[in-house]
Amino acid sequence: MRAAVVALQAALEEQLAVFTELGTLLQEEQQAIAALDTNRMEQLNRQKEPVVARQFRAVDALRSAMAVLSRQTGGGAAPTLSDLMARLPKDAQMGLAGLQKAVQEAGARVHGLAQENRGMLERFLGTVNDALGYLLRVLNTSNQYGSSGTYLQRRQVGSVMVNREA
């Protein structure tokens, strides 16, 4: 059982390392969004891809370690790490409890940063769309003579046509 506990600890440490690295990248992304540095945002997205792939591998390793340890403790499959840790000897519980808490805190931090970045990007794109809409309204207006001989401002969706009445 000692080897299974060590494997679980290694999986949790990898999960923590991934969350820490992802948190750092998300903070840098937040700064790039605030500075409207699209080149840096693109670069950070490329850097996040292998970290997210590592995250999936870390989750698989964690599930595998939990399954092995769950079989070794004689119970059925443990739905959560806390349930599994309750079956372990006290010394193993003590060694894993701090690491579990650190992983949970780092995961919550990454989730919060990702939500903040999503909100910032949505507001950024909303501003860009509003500006483009304004420019299209300005560019797609034409001056036309009305029936009374005065200029009428009309919004055109396609091409602009000028009506000249004699």
Side-chain angles (χ1 to χ4, degrees):
M1 179 171 9
R2 176 84 178 128
V5 170
V6 170
L8 180 62
Q9 184 175 358
L12 286 170
E13 287 170 349
E14 175 63 13
Q15 186 81 6
L16 181 60
V18 167
F19 281 154
T20 302
E21 187 175 347
L22 198 52
T24 301
L25 289 171
L26 288 172
Q27 284 179 324
E28 289 179 31
E29 182 181 60
Q30 219 171 56
Q31 293 168 355
I33 293 168
L36 302 176
D37 187 351
T38 55
N39 290 331
R40 181 70 178 141
M41 284 187 264
E42 184 180 333
Q43 183 182 45
L44 288 166
N45 275 336
R46 283 194 304 270
Q47 289 177 340
K48 284 189 296 184
E49 288 174 8
V51 177
V52 170
R54 266 183 56 211
Q55 165 65 22
F56 284 116
R57 288 191 303 273
V59 167
D60 290 341
L62 182 61
R63 285 184 183 141
S64 176
M66 285 177 62
V68 168
L69 199 53
S70 186
R71 283 191 302 273
Q72 289 181 359
T73 57
T80 66
L81 182 57
S82 296
D83 293 338
L84 178 61
M85 285 176 50
R87 298 186 208 163
L88 297 177
K90 292 293 180 196
D91 61 329
Q93 286 180 16
M94 298 299 287
L96 293 173
L99 190 53
Q100 179 192 21
K101 183 177 180 181
V103 169
Q104 288 172 334
E105 289 171 354
R109 183 172 155 260
V110 165
H111 178 73
L113 285 169
Q115 291 299 101
E116 288 174 17
N117 288 7
R118 180 190 330 236
M120 289 173 70
L121 284 170
E122 286 173 352
R123 288 188 297 277
F124 170 69
L125 291 175
T127 301
V128 168
N129 283 336
D130 289 346
L132 287 174
Y134 172 75
L135 288 173
L136 286 174
R137 283 191 305 277
V138 168
L139 294 175
N140 284 332
T141 58
S142 68
N143 295 328
Q144 293 181 338
Y145 289 108
S147 60
S148 64
T150 59
Y151 279 112
L152 297 176
Q153 292 285 332
R154 291 195 179 151
R155 183 169 179 249
Q156 297 287 335
V157 177
S159 60
V160 177
M161 182 187 305
V162 177
N163 182 8
R164 296 184 188 165
E165 295 180 12

